[in-house]
Amino acid sequence: MQNSTNQKPVISIHYLNHYFGQGQLRKQVLFDINLEIAAGEIVIMTGPSGSGKTTLLTLVSGLRSTQSGSMRILGQELCGATNEQLIQARRHNGYIFQAHNLHRSLTALQNVQMGLEVQSKFSRPEMEECATAMLEQVGLGNRLNYYPENLSGGQKQRVAIARALVSHPAIVLADEPTAALDSKSGRDVVNLMQKLAKEQKSTILLVTHDNRILDIADRIVHMEDGKLVNNSTMSMAA
């Protein structure tokens, strides 16, 4: 288990509030969120649907603008950040969506290469080499040129993981990565995420309703009605 006490947090959130809508329709969805996550930690966020988990995840990722409070990611304050600063912040993240979000018109290899295109520092041959190596790591070296429609649910999610991790991001954000998978495929997917992220020394923040995968966490946080109501360390064998 990670010891976060002596490490500077990779994710540091203080008194974060968030609202949807304007005027009379304005509704508060996050209330005074305080959360710090250290480098290399695996944190799972649980809670009922509509509790604000995905909203918080998209704020951490820079996909949404932080409105109120403090959101420091890798030392960069995102509250009040410009669009360019948000784009720069997103380059340090690997985001795994619930429905994998693969482009149907692209092969597995091309989908994974997209995870490198935002980096703007790789040549086309380098991107293809890195994407191939990552797909081999997730066990899909023989599916490089398959389109999503010819892949199983578990294989699609493995492609999504490869795309998220191919750039060796500092932070991996996952939104219900096992939701559409059977128990074996779901376990395989989270084990793979855990293994690759540990190898790359990435921090993981994972949203899930799946109680079967909670054992991979160093810490579990629970949300209800837009508030963090529990923040517990897992008792795990060394």
Side-chain angles (χ1 to χ4, degrees):
M1 187 172 67
Q2 298 294 325
N3 181 358
S4 60
T5 56
N6 298 319
Q7 299 180 29
K8 188 174 181 179
V10 170
I11 298 171
S12 183
I13 304 168
H14 294 285
Y15 301 104
L16 177 75
N17 294 286
H18 196 74
Y19 305 82
F20 287 151
Q22 300 291 330
Q24 291 184 333
L25 297 177
R26 192 174 192 233
K27 178 183 178 183
Q28 188 167 358
V29 293
L30 294 179
F31 300 81
D32 286 337
I33 302 295
N34 290 283
L35 178 65
E36 292 194 341
I37 302 176
E41 249 194 312
I42 298 178
V43 175
I44 286 182
M45 184 164 28
T46 63
S49 296
S51 59
K53 305 184 302 298
T54 295
T55 299
L56 181 56
L57 205 67
T58 56
L59 288 167
V60 172
S61 71
L63 291 172
R64 276 196 177 101
S65 297
T66 302
Q67 300 167 340
S68 169
S70 177
M71 169 79 71
R72 296 187 72 84
I73 307 298
L74 298 170
Q76 172 72 43
E77 177 61 65
L78 296 190
C79 187
T82 64
N83 284 335
E84 179 58 33
Q85 288 171 325
L86 290 175
I87 290 170
Q88 290 294 331
R90 290 198 289 270
R91 288 177 176 164
H92 298 292
N93 298 332
Y95 203 107
I96 301 169
F97 297 88
Q98 178 175 340
H100 56 71
N101 278 27
L102 301 182
H103 289 263
R104 291 181 294 176
S105 62
L106 301 180
T107 65
L109 182 63
Q110 291 167 333
N111 267 288
V112 175
Q113 283 179 222
M114 288 187 65
L116 293 170
E117 287 176 354
V118 296
Q119 302 296 324
S120 68
K121 62 181 180 181
F122 297 96
S123 67
R124 185 62 58 179
E126 286 172 332
M127 285 194 289
E128 184 171 337
E129 182 180 348
C130 290
T132 299
M134 183 56 67
L135 281 166
E136 288 172 349
Q137 277 193 270
V138 302
L140 293 177
N142 60 344
R143 297 287 191 275
L144 300 181
N145 297 312
Y146 280 53
Y147 289 91
E149 64 183 16
N150 300 125
L151 298 172
S152 70
Q155 289 170 335
K156 290 175 187 175
Q157 200 62 302
R158 284 170 178 263
V159 175
I161 290 172
R163 179 181 59 190
L165 295 181
V166 68
S167 64
H168 290 239
I171 301 169
V172 177
L173 303 166
D175 189 6
E176 298 280 4
T178 65
L181 304 177
D182 60 46
S183 58
K184 183 183 185 305
S185 297
R187 168 53 65 177
D188 289 345
V189 159
V190 295
N191 285 348
L192 183 62
M193 282 178 55
Q194 181 185 35
K195 174 178 178 290
L196 293 177
K198 289 293 186 184
E199 288 173 358
Q200 297 182 4
K201 296 180 171 57
S202 299
T203 299
I204 296 179
L205 178 58
L206 186 155
V207 166
T208 190
H209 284 105
D210 191 348
N211 291 332
R212 299 167 300 185
I213 66 171
L214 299 183
D215 59 295
I216 73 160
D218 296 318
R219 189 154 45 107
I220 295 173
V221 298
H222 186 75
M223 286 194 76
E224 284 186 19
D225 301 322
K227 301 173 183 176
L228 279 181
V229 296
N230 185 42
N231 189 344
S232 63
T233 301
M234 293 291 286
S235 296
M236 290 166 39

